[in-house]
Amino acid sequence: MERAGATAAELTSSERLALAGLLGFAASLRWLMWSRAVTLFNDGPEFLLIAKWAAAGDAGAVLAHPYHPLYSLAIAGVHALGFEWESAGALVGVAGGTAAVGFLFLFLRDAFGAPSAWVGAGLLAVHSRAVEYSSDVQSDGLYLGLFLAG
């Protein structure tokens, strides 16, 4: 019987390959949804404005805005790698949403065993709201990933 409490390092090579496949699928699904979007999420322009202030070094404007700056700072960092502003924002969300799937898998595997982990991570990978919230210029994907990392 498989024991609960296994760490990420204790994954078998086939489990690692399957998890990589699930994460690749989750990321692809989120990026596909982003590529089909015709408008930004309501707060998207605000996040991009804050990111532009951050890139320009205007810390006062960034900190004076009522939105938490972490997501916008991440956008500015990805933009500095050569990505266009909106794509940088979506990429941060997609990365966070994909990471959330992986962290949920690890948590559920440690707490309840591998079968529960596969079901839970698989559901999060395809859940319509989870995909929607992590495939646009909005902070939910990043914060969900960070929450589950904790």
Side-chain angles (χ1 to χ4, degrees):
M1 177 167 200
E2 183 177 316
R3 69 175 176 86
T7 65
E10 295 173 336
L11 292 174
T12 67
S13 60
S14 61
E15 286 176 317
R16 288 175 195 246
L17 186 61
L19 182 56
L22 179 62
L23 295 176
F25 174 73
S28 298
L29 182 59
R30 283 154 175 76
W31 195 257
L32 173 67
M33 297 313 298
W34 161 247
S35 70
R36 298 184 58 171
V38 293
T39 60
L40 288 180
F41 174 70
N42 297 346
D43 293 338
E46 289 294 316
F47 290 125
L48 294 175
L49 177 63
I50 300 165
K52 290 175 183 178
W53 290 339
D58 191 352
V62 170
L63 295 175
H65 198 282
Y67 288 8
H68 191 282
L70 178 62
Y71 176 65
S72 297
L73 291 172
I75 293 172
V78 172
H79 172 74
L81 297 174
F83 291 89
E84 181 270 328
W85 285 107
E86 288 181 19
S87 295
L91 186 58
V92 171
V94 167
T98 302
V101 173
F103 288 128
L104 181 64
F105 173 85
L106 294 175
F107 168 73
L108 291 175
R109 188 171 191 276
D110 287 350
F112 304 108
S116 297
W118 288 114
V119 171
L123 288 173
L124 184 59
V126 300
H127 190 278
S128 62
R129 291 291 187 193
V131 171
E132 179 183 350
Y133 291 150
S134 59
S135 63
D136 201 345
V137 181
Q138 58 184 333
S139 60
D140 298 57
L142 175 64
Y143 294 140
L144 180 60
L146 292 174
F147 173 76
L148 290 171

